[in-house]
Each structure stands twice: as C-alpha cells, then as structure tokens.
Amino acid sequence: MKPALLLIGRRILLGLAIVASFLPAAFAQKAVVSDDPVLVAMRAELERSKSRLKMDQVAAPYYIEYRVFDVDQFGAEAAFGALRGDVRTRFRFLRVVVRIGDYKQDSYFGQGQGTLDFMPVDNDSLALQHQLWLATDRAYKAAAEALTAKQAQLKQLTVDQPVDDFAPADPVQSIGPLASLDIDPEPWKKMLQDVSALYKNDPAVENFESNLSFQAANRYFVNSEGTVVRSGETLYTISVAGSTQAADGMRLARDSGYAVASAKELPSAADFTKRATKMLNTLKELRDAPVIDEEYRGPVLFSADASATIFADLVGENVLGRKPELGKNSRTTGTFAASYKSRVLPDFLSVVADPTISTYAGESLLGHYEIDDEGVPAQKVSLIENGSLVNYLMGRAPIRDFPKSNGHARAQVPTGNPMPHNSNLIVSSSHPTPKAEMKKKLTDLCQQRNLPFCFYVETFGGNLTPRLLYKVWTNNGHEELVRGAAFGDLDTRALRNDLVAAGDDFRVSNHPQNIPHSIVAPSILFDELEVKRANQNKEKLPEYPAPSLSN
Amino acid sequence: MPATRVDVITNGVLKNFLMSRMPIKNFAQSNGHGRAQPGLMPTGRQGNLIVSSTLTVKDSELRQKLIDEVKKQGKPYGLYFEDIQGGFTLTQRSMPQAFQVLPVLVWRVYADGRPDELVRGIDIVGTPLAALNRILVTGDKVEIFNGICGAESGQVPVAAAAPAMLFSEIEVQKRAHSLNRPPILPSPADKDNEDKNGKPKP
C-alpha cells in the first residue's frame, strides 16, 4: 500500500538540514581541557544522571557512558574523466549506554546496548546537554526493559560456565589534541578526474572510476567511573577501480588505492597515475590471460600482500574475544573458540596485535591508538606464540578465562558500539627464508612431486579468491598469468598443517574499511592447496563498442 | 511534456485527471503532470492545486456562520481547525477510499459565547466524497500551502491554495498516543528545579 502522503515543508527541510549542514573545521584548534564545550556538557549531564537518575521500582544505573563522534568528511568521485560528485559533511553522533544491575549481570542486551542520536555541531553547551539529557533518559528506560528481557531469557537456558557481563577497569583521563580536516579539495578533485580519464588508453575497459574520502574524526568519551577521554584522528583514502570482460565474457575487476593516517603520506599525482596505469595494464593482461583448466593439488606461494589477506581473514577474525550470544557456551564467536592453548599455526610463526605503534619499518599503520573506545589504554597483546594460541583480543565484555580488557574494544565511526577488533596484527617467523629463495623453494617442491608447474598468488580479490595468479613452470621458473581460479581448501586447517615456510619480506596492508586496522605479514608457502576453476557466471559482452574517443 | 493548466473539477463536477504519459481508461494523453523524485518513474502528480469558490462570505463572518450552524444543529460547540501537520489518503483499489488529516491546532468554539478552548489529540477522518459534499460556504481569502507530497513516484514539491471552509459535519477520532513516561530528570535548562549545586530543590 502506498498512501499519498502530504507533509508540511518545514519538517522535510529540518531533515535535510541535519544531513547537509557542515561548518568549516576551524573550531578544531587548541581547545583547553576544562573549556571544551562538548566535554563540559558531557560531564555536567553525567553528574546529574549519576546522582539523580532513578525510576520507581527500577534500580539506579551502576554505570553510564557517553560517546560522541564528531566527524568532518570530504568525499569525491570521478568516472571516465569527469567528476561524478563531491560532498563535504560535518556531523556529531551521540551514543549513551546506561547499565542497570552489576558487573556480574547487567542490562547490556538488546535495546539496552545504548541509544543513538544526532548532537548539535556548534558548541552551545546547553544545547549539547539537552540532547544528552533526552538520550540518557531513553537509555535508562531501555536498560530497565532490557534487563527484564535478559533475565526472562536466561530462565530458559542452562549456562554451564557463566562469565561476568562487564569487567571493571581503572579510570583514565586523557585529553588528546583535536583532529581537523585541513586540505584544499580542488587539486584532489582534478587528480581523480585525470586518473579516471586513463580509461581512454584501453577501449575494452568498461567501468573505470576513482574516488577519495578524507575524514577527521574526534572522539569524546566519559563514563561514570571517572574516565574522560578525547582523541582525534584523520584517515585519508584515495583509490581507483576498473572492470573489463574477457572475450569469453568473464568479468574481471581490480582496484588499488592508498589508505593513510596523515595527508602528507598521500601520493603525488604522478605516483597515483603510475599506480592507476599499472592497474589498467593488469586488467588488459588478465583479459588476455588463459583460463585455468584442470584442478591442481600442490604447492602454492603467496606474496606478502596476498599473505596479509589470508592472515586478516583466517587469523584476524578468529582471535577476537567476542562473547557469544546468550546461552551459547562457546568461548568466542570465531573458529578459534576452542583453540586456546592449542596449535593454530605452524610452530615457526607468531602473531602479536600492537596498537601502541604507529609505524612499521617506516610505513604508517592504521591500527594505532592510545586508548580504546571503552577508555582502556591500548596494549600490545601476544596472540599466537610459536604456533600456539595464547590470547584473544579483549574489550570489557569478559569471556571464559579472560576476565579483563586488553584495550582492543573499538567502535566504528560514527555510530558503532565498541567490540573487540584488530589493531595492528603483526605476523613473524622464527625461521624466515630469504625472499629470493621462496620461489626456489616453490619450484623445488614441484620438482620433488613431478609437477610441471605450480602456482604463485600475487594478490587477492574478495573472499580469498586470487586476482593475480601465476602459473610458475617447474623447469625454467617462467611465470604465466591465469584467470578464473578459486581455492578449494584455503582455511584455518590448511594454515595450521600445510604452511611450510615464511619469507623474510613483509607487507604492511592497511585496511581503512569499517574500523581502520593493519596487517603485517611475510610471504608464505603452502606445500599443498587445491586450485580449481571458479564457478563464475559469464555475462555477454556489450552489444556494441564504447563511444568513439576521436569525436 | 510541457506543463499545462488543467481544470480538474468545475462547479463541483470531476472533469479531468492529472495525467502523465501513462494512459488510463478514457484519458489517453498526458497533460504535463508526470512528476517524480530523482531516480523514480514519473506518475501523474499534483503541481499547484488551486481551489476557488463561488459561494463566499468574508473571513470575519465565517466564525458567526459556524456558531449559527452549531445552534441550528442543537450542539454545544463546533470545531475550528487552525493548523494541520499533514495527512494522507489511501488511493489503492484494495483499500477503502479514506483519508486522515492530522491537525495540530484545534479550538472548540462554543455556541453559548464562552471563550474558545484549545483541544488536542484528535484527527479528522472520512471518505473524500462524503466529507467534501458537506462544505456549506467558504471564506473569501485564499491561503497558500507549500509542501512536499509523497506518493508512488516519491517526494515532489507541491502547492495548494484554498479558502477557509465551513463544513456542516466532519468526522473526528481520538488519536492514538503513547503512554511513555515523561523524562525522569528536569531539563538541564530548567534551573528553577535545581539549587546552585545542581541538586533537586526539596
């Protein structure tokens, strides 16, 4: 049913005003602790709520937190040499969590996980405080309902080894400098247009676009335990993406980009053009490459770049100490839930997560922070020692055997709740093989097994599907690009049992998506993996060619 | 299609529809009213809807006309709708052809000369033909409403111009409303409720 709906104009306008409003970032300068109006408002309302928030027949809160994300963002995209849009946005989001109960069992469940609202972007303390007041009231009432719902649900379940709901943490006070977006967008818009115009060099390219996102995010956090944290960070990404179709219709897509923490690390126009040109060339090479034919079982070598993707997907996701849903008795939600003190990698590999460092061998890491989003100081955590899982990344929600946070609760800008998340995941080998010898090791293994060729993966596409995959001939080491392949059994079991060597090289792989984090990993060699033909649809080619460039 | 002026209703009789290029029975051509929000397919939509009347009294006399009608019907009071926040009509065959208008400022106008009384929590409901046939007389001053109208082809800006109207009868119903508790603490701006330390006054 679609009723014709008549709405008063001003209400619509109000909605638009919230989305479209932005102010220059000039506010973001040397504010002093005591008079940052956002913090003043947060502390004032927290005091009021702490001392006075209480409903009849409902317990007073035992814990209250306020989180404000202040985001200034510039985004632009260009396609086929022309700008497709650019937008500057500025907004503040508020999340209030009120917990009723105690550390053992509380209301953090369902709607008791916080309420969300816009915050005024100017610095009128009373306006800010008013919004906090309303959100706190809603959060408290929601918490009361959530605790009852949780207790009702728990009555239906048997919990073998109960763990607490919330871990105590020492109060922290830290007021960091505010981040601001201080950048002239014009040269960047031109760069996007110029790079996206490179499609003209290859008439068979279908989509070709370039986009950027520059963001300054300031975080404000206060809680009723006395923690007050302010921190700011910037994140700059610029990328290019293209797609084409091979003669048989197979769709081939690639993207490439930069994700850095400071504007000065962004590429020059020449560097960006160079990278885009290289990507465009690989699209052409892929188009001309043969499709993988027979199923293959044998050694596969992964570059450090491809290896970083494997560790991100198969280790990074599984070392998170995320509490399973109510009534589930597993330790975490990942596949390493039952692997504590067990071997998950070969014994020459170790993995740490280290948010306390901002660079690795001179390259910047995106997973750096001083204090996590629950107000717990960042800690270096040794996760896997000589192949054995010894720890998980923890926030303040305990899991079995891990009662305390290790400073890895991170919230997604601008509305997320903190959850255990990666920071900088660093994979190292106790017996690194010189990079130059890795390919030799690969062909030696092939020779031992009388295989005419083996495989080398330079980079992945999505879902652990190889993007740049080379057939390496055993007799002369010749490399030949192939397409249309997938792995049959690239999983945590293969990582534990079939990984036989790691290089002395490394690649810093920065992931700006969702929650910025980094993976540092060496090239790795598996003695056996299955490489098979991907089950991929082949679309028809366009009926007629692209418009002529000569007009 | 170029925009054209369309006489939709003449002397109370429906003569035409607002048409896009999607024909309906007996109306094969567009009259330039195919409109859409960006990204959606256009359908026949309102542009500037202008209501005019041949039976008018001065706006200042309308209130007396209302009281006269109330007395005639032997009722204690009539209603004056000063402002509405919007409304909607069900236009699909499978649903009853009904409308609802959501007033924000409604006054009881008493027949016995008591002062007008502001009331809240009522909506106007009904079916268009039954309701619109009960217009007795209109005012002489046209007021303009500019707003956004939503329908199958999305949100489009529209205007409506109409005089005040006196209905002999209109159906209203109690509006559903939440029973949520008001906020527990007073507003931070409400300093009357606090002493200078921010503590509640006894």
Side-chain angles (χ1 to χ4, degrees), chain A residues 259-278:
Chain A
V260 292
S262 69
K264 62 176 195 298
E265 297 171 82
L266 279 165
S268 66
D271 285 345
F272 189 36
T273 306
K274 205 165 127 190
R275 188 182 279 213
T277 305
K278 192 177 159 209

Side-chain angles (χ1 to χ4, degrees), chain B residues 11-25:
Chain B
N11 299 327
V13 179
L14 180 67
K15 299 283 195 187
N16 211 336
F17 291 96
L18 300 180
M19 295 294 298
S20 68
R21 287 184 62 182
M22 171 85 77
I24 57 173
K25 201 169 152 191

Side-chain angles (χ1 to χ4, degrees), chain A residues 343 345-350 385-388 429-431 496 499:
Chain A
R343 202 165 69 78
L345 287 178
D347 58 11
F348 57 88
L349 286 182
S350 295
E385 288 173 3
N386 303 322
S388 179
S429 167
S430 56
H431 294 90
R496 184 175 68 238
L499 204 171

Side-chain angles (χ1 to χ4, degrees), chain A residues 1-9 11-12 45 48-49 51-56 126 129-130 133 137 140-141, chain B residues 84-91 95 145-150 181-189 194 198-200:
Chain A
M1 184 190 72
K2 278 190 182 161
L5 186 68
L6 206 66
L7 292 163
I8 283 274
R11 275 159 210 266
I12 296 287
E45 195 54 25
R48 258 172 36 106
S49 303
S51 57
R52 294 171 57 189
L53 196 60
K54 170 84 178 77
M55 252 190 312
D56 288 349
L126 190 57
Q129 202 182 335
H130 196 98
W133 165 61
D137 192 79
Y140 177 49
K141 289 167 179 167
Chain B
I84 59 151
Q85 65 177 348
F88 56 88
T89 307
L90 309 179
T91 56
M95 301 296 295
F145 163 83
N146 283 319
I148 306 285
C149 177
R181 275 195 215 201
I184 299 157
L185 299 188
S187 153
E194 297 182 351
K199 300 288 178 213

Side-chain angles (χ1 to χ4, degrees), chain B:
Chain B
M1 298 293 296
T4 51
R5 182 193 151 104
V6 178
D7 288 317
V8 182
I9 298 168
T10 310
N11 299 327
V13 179
L14 180 67
K15 299 283 195 187
N16 211 336
F17 291 96
L18 300 180
M19 295 294 298
S20 68
R21 287 184 62 182
M22 171 85 77
I24 57 173
K25 201 169 152 191
N26 299 334
F27 293 86
Q29 299 293 321
S30 168
N31 52 28
H33 279 81
R35 307 184 68 198
Q37 170 182 327
L40 295 177
M41 279 298 291
T43 56
R45 299 292 297 274
Q46 186 183 330
N48 298 322
L49 191 77
I50 298 156
V51 181
S52 59
S53 167
T54 52
L55 182 62
T56 62
V57 296
K58 284 210 173 67
D59 272 16
S60 54
E61 292 166 18
L62 265 180
R63 185 185 154 80
Q64 192 51 51
K65 286 269 184 199
L66 169 65
I67 293 170
D68 293 348
E69 183 66 22
V70 169
K71 283 180 177 159
K72 196 175 110 190
Q73 294 185 19
K75 298 210 158 113
Y77 59 83
L79 294 175
Y80 167 50
F81 296 91
E82 187 180 324
D83 192 12
I84 59 151
Q85 65 177 348
F88 56 88
T89 307
L90 309 179
T91 56
Q92 304 229 322
R93 274 279 159 83
S94 58
M95 301 296 295
Q97 297 290 294
F99 71 90
Q100 186 166 353
V101 172
L102 314 167
V104 280
L105 276 183
V106 185
W107 300 86
R108 267 185 191 149
V109 178
Y110 285 98
D112 61 9
R114 269 183 280 168
D116 294 354
E117 185 187 4
L118 189 63
V119 293
R120 61 191 161 89
I122 62 167
D123 290 338
I124 302 173
V125 292
T127 54
L129 290 182
L132 295 175
N133 273 319
R134 286 177 169 73
I135 300 171
L136 298 174
V137 64
T138 75
D140 60 350
K141 192 166 149 277
V142 166
E143 284 199 43
I144 294 168
F145 163 83
N146 283 319
I148 306 285
C149 177
E152 288 81 353
S153 63
Q155 307 273 336
V156 298
V158 297
M165 296 172 189
L166 175 63
F167 286 71
S168 63
E169 200 172 86
I170 209 159
E171 190 177 341
V172 295
Q173 67 180 21
K174 239 181 157 164
R175 181 180 296 177
H177 67 96
S178 78
L179 297 169
N180 288 346
R181 275 195 215 201
I184 299 157
L185 299 188
S187 153
D190 185 2
K191 297 296 176 199
D192 294 345
N193 272 308
E194 297 182 351
D195 62 23
K196 62 180 191 299
N197 298 318
K199 300 288 178 213
K201 278 188 179 166

Side-chain angles (χ1 to χ4, degrees), chain A residues 354-374:
Chain A
D354 191 356
T356 66
I357 52 171
S358 58
T359 59
Y360 186 89
E363 289 191 54
S364 82
L365 298 170
L366 291 188
H368 166 65
Y369 52 89
E370 307 272 338
I371 292 162
D372 82 357
D373 286 316
E374 288 177 335

